[in-house]
Amino acid sequence: MSVFTIEAGLAFLGLVLLLVEAFKPDICRRTLGLMAIAGTALALVLFVFAKHDTASLPGFMQPWHQLDTLALFYKGFALVITILVLWLTLECAPYLTRFTVDGKLAEMFSLPLIVCAGMMWMASARDLVTVFVSLELVTVSFYVLVAFARKSAFSLEAGVKYLILGALSTGVLVYGIAWIYGATGTMSFDGIAKALANPATNKTAALFGAAILLCGLGFKVAAAPFHMWVPDVYQGAPTPVTAFLSVGSKAAGFVVLTRALDAFLVENSIIGTEIQSLLLVAGSLTALLGSLPAMFQTSVKRLLAYSSISHAGYLLLALACRESPRFDLSSGGVVAFYLATYLPMTVLGFLGLGLMRANGLGEDIKDFAGLAKRNPLLALLMTVSFASLAGLPLTAGFLGKLFVFLGLADHGYWGALSCAIIAAATGFYYYFKTVLAMFTTEGTDAPALKLSSATRAVAGLLAVAILVLGVYPKPLQKLLKPASATMAARN
């Protein structure tokens, strides 16, 4: 079975689940959720044992798809985050149904499968047309998911904002693609790389097109100055959707950025210096503009939204560093490593937030007061999550930031490194402000919170992954090393 067949099957399953709910409206939402999880888990198993070479793809897809190490990593990443988001949706179902018109959650279980298929196709894209089609499949699905809680004014407001700004960013992206095509005569990444290495290519047109394209992608990854939509959209969207946006959508945007920048920053590129400088400035501003406002947030959900912006800044700085001989990883490999560490700690944080909401509590820091007394295990797990997000040593988040900081130091980007360190230091304040609230004596008279055995198991596995990656990252580094070799050979 080819990888493309698995991806198409996953999208087809999403459509089937929608039809099942439409023609059998009395079906249990838990049954739909478990069917979606089982289907995605089966896709993950089949993906692991499928043939991972381009020759295994259908003939009509071979010119447009690639199955290098980076593509395979992001495909597996998309499947894992989709399974976790579907599980989180099941856990939050009692809370979510109160904000839907008919109490149904079919779209919350089916659309993530379509989003997953879009992210997997995006990871293999060889050209800008495939990128655009896959990206819009993901984005349009998110328009529905963000505004899904139709009885919530916050959700509807978030949906409208995301729709308007998303449509604007799509227009900018298409405009950039048009300029790139006009300057280089091609839309394939390999063709663009060859054209930009040719001194005869019009530098002004190519640079303008690349800058516009990066602006369009900047919205997708929440890079400054295109990040202002994030706090409102994250706060208004249902918690599982927020987690999906924070991890899945960000990963999809960065795999496209990695592909594009590999072409723009090819050896002897006529626009390489300018694009690298743009990345350093954008990454530094994004890290700071994500961390500094987070210090003043009282809502944990908005705090995590600003945190997501800050992490996008670190990832942009990693892309600016290009090769990192110290770790034997390309810039794309460092980004993939960072996202692999970002997944468990972010999902664990949103899982804790979703469980709080499912138990009738709010999203403000004050609602976390005394959590250690009401449920010590949940407080401990969220402490692990927030400690890793802050970058505490012996956690996965520490190594992700360390790779970025050492890459900046190795290349002598001291200004960007200073901004990144300030942003990281600020993170310790706002993350541990929430942790401190959980261990205060206030709110200890509130009723205890109960977690199911399955929830404890999933949350425990995420916490273990955070700690294991924090002390033993070698297997993950080894998994991503071939990406460097492949990229170097192509460049």
Side-chain angles (χ1 to χ4, degrees):
M1 179 177 291
S2 72
V3 173
F4 179 78
T5 303
I6 297 171
E7 296 163 348
L10 198 62
F12 180 73
L13 176 61
L15 295 176
V16 168
L17 291 180
L18 272 178
L19 293 175
V20 167
E21 197 276 336
F23 288 98
K24 193 175 176 56
D26 58 337
I27 189 171
C28 175
R29 63 170 179 259
R30 190 166 187 85
T31 301
L32 276 178
L34 292 176
M35 288 171 61
I37 293 173
T40 313
L42 177 61
L44 179 58
V45 173
L46 293 175
F47 170 74
V48 171
F49 293 101
K51 293 182 179 180
H52 295 158
D53 57 85
T54 307
S56 66
L57 296 172
F60 68 93
M61 290 303 302
Q62 291 182 12
W64 319 109
H65 267 50
Q66 57 186 326
L67 291 177
D68 59 1
T69 302
L70 210 58
L72 294 174
F73 168 81
Y74 278 106
K75 288 176 185 290
F77 186 99
L79 288 167
V80 171
I81 184 58
T82 303
I83 292 172
L84 292 171
V85 166
L86 290 170
W87 177 258
L88 180 56
T89 303
L90 269 182
E91 292 299 305
C92 297
Y95 157 70
L96 291 174
T97 51
R98 298 203 299 265
F99 293 94
T100 59
V101 174
D102 51 7
K104 304 292 179 61
L105 294 176
E107 293 87 348
M108 290 290 290
F109 296 122
S110 58
L111 287 179
L113 303 183
I114 298 174
V115 170
C116 181
M119 291 192 296
M120 294 176 75
W121 286 327
M122 209 183 307
S124 291
R126 289 181 179 270
D127 63 282
L128 292 173
V129 173
T130 307
V131 165
F132 176 76
V133 173
S134 304
L135 190 61
E136 287 310 296
L137 177 63
V138 171
T139 303
V140 171
S141 299
F142 270 123
Y143 292 155
V144 179
L145 290 172
V146 168
F148 183 75
R150 285 177 285 175
K151 288 185 179 180
S152 169
F154 287 115
S155 181
L156 293 177
E157 179 186 354
V160 170
K161 288 182 178 179
Y162 191 60
L163 173 63
I164 294 173
L165 293 176
L168 177 62
S169 71
T170 297
V172 172
L173 183 65
V174 171
Y175 190 54
I177 291 174
W179 270 89
I180 289 292
Y181 180 74
T184 64
T186 180
M187 289 191 184
S188 73
F189 291 124
D190 289 337
I192 292 170
K194 291 178 182 178
L196 293 180
N198 183 357
T201 301
N202 188 316
K203 179 178 179 179
T204 302
L207 182 59
F208 182 76
I212 296 297
L213 180 69
L214 292 178
C215 287
L217 292 176
F219 172 87
K220 307 299 183 183
V221 301
F226 312 105
H227 66 289
M228 294 308 296
W229 61 273
V230 174
D232 291 339
V233 171
Y234 277 32
Q235 185 178 26
T239 300
V241 178
T242 306
F244 211 8
L245 275 172
S246 183
V247 181
S249 180
K250 188 182 298 298
F254 270 101
V255 69
V256 174
L257 264 178
T258 301
R259 302 291 191 194
L261 290 172
D262 285 343
F264 294 161
L265 300 177
V266 69
E267 187 177 356
N268 299 321
S269 171
I270 59 175
I271 62 173
T273 303
E274 292 83 355
I275 294 297
Q276 201 158 15
S277 300
L278 177 63
L279 284 175
L280 288 170
V281 173
S284 301
L285 286 176
T286 304
L288 288 175
L289 293 177
S291 286
L292 295 179
M295 297 175 63
F296 308 102
Q297 301 304 310
T298 57
S299 167
V300 175
K301 208 171 185 181
R302 287 185 72 89
L303 187 152
L304 290 174
Y306 280 107
S307 164
S308 177
I309 297 170
S310 181
H311 286 286
Y314 300 133
L315 290 166
L316 288 173
L317 292 175
L319 287 174
C321 291
R322 306 310 297 156
E323 303 301 323
S324 299
R326 184 194 295 267
F327 314 114
D328 196 21
L329 292 175
S330 66
S331 59
V334 173
V335 168
F337 182 94
Y338 195 108
L339 286 169
T341 63
Y342 183 71
L343 186 153
M345 57 191 182
T346 305
V347 173
L348 183 56
F350 279 110
L351 175 59
L353 190 60
L355 292 172
M356 295 280 288
R357 293 293 286 158
N359 282 273
L361 299 172
E363 298 171 346
D364 288 344
I365 294 177
K366 64 182 180 181
D367 294 306
F368 285 77
L371 180 61
K373 182 70 174 179
R374 288 177 282 164
N375 193 306
L377 177 60
L378 181 59
L380 176 63
L381 293 173
M382 293 200 69
T383 299
V384 172
S385 168
F386 282 17
S388 185
L389 285 167
L392 194 71
L394 302 182
T395 64
F398 170 75
L399 287 179
K401 287 187 173 69
L402 180 66
F403 280 19
V404 176
F405 292 170
L406 291 179
L408 292 170
D410 289 343
H411 289 80
Y413 299 143
W414 304 113
L417 178 60
S418 300
C419 293
I421 291 175
I422 292 171
T426 306
F428 275 89
Y429 169 77
Y430 58 78
Y431 286 122
F432 282 95
K433 178 173 67 173
T434 307
V435 173
L436 181 63
M438 290 190 287
F439 289 90
T440 58
T441 56
E442 298 178 11
T444 54
D445 55 341
L449 299 180
K450 294 183 179 181
L451 306 181
S452 67
S453 300
T455 301
R456 289 198 296 268
V458 172
L461 286 174
L462 292 171
V464 168
I466 292 171
L467 298 176
V468 169
L469 284 175
V471 298
Y472 188 56
K474 289 294 183 182
L476 181 57
Q477 286 179 264
K478 185 177 180 181
L479 177 67
L480 295 171
K481 276 183 182 179
S484 176
T486 302
M487 202 171 300
R490 189 175 66 186
N491 289 346

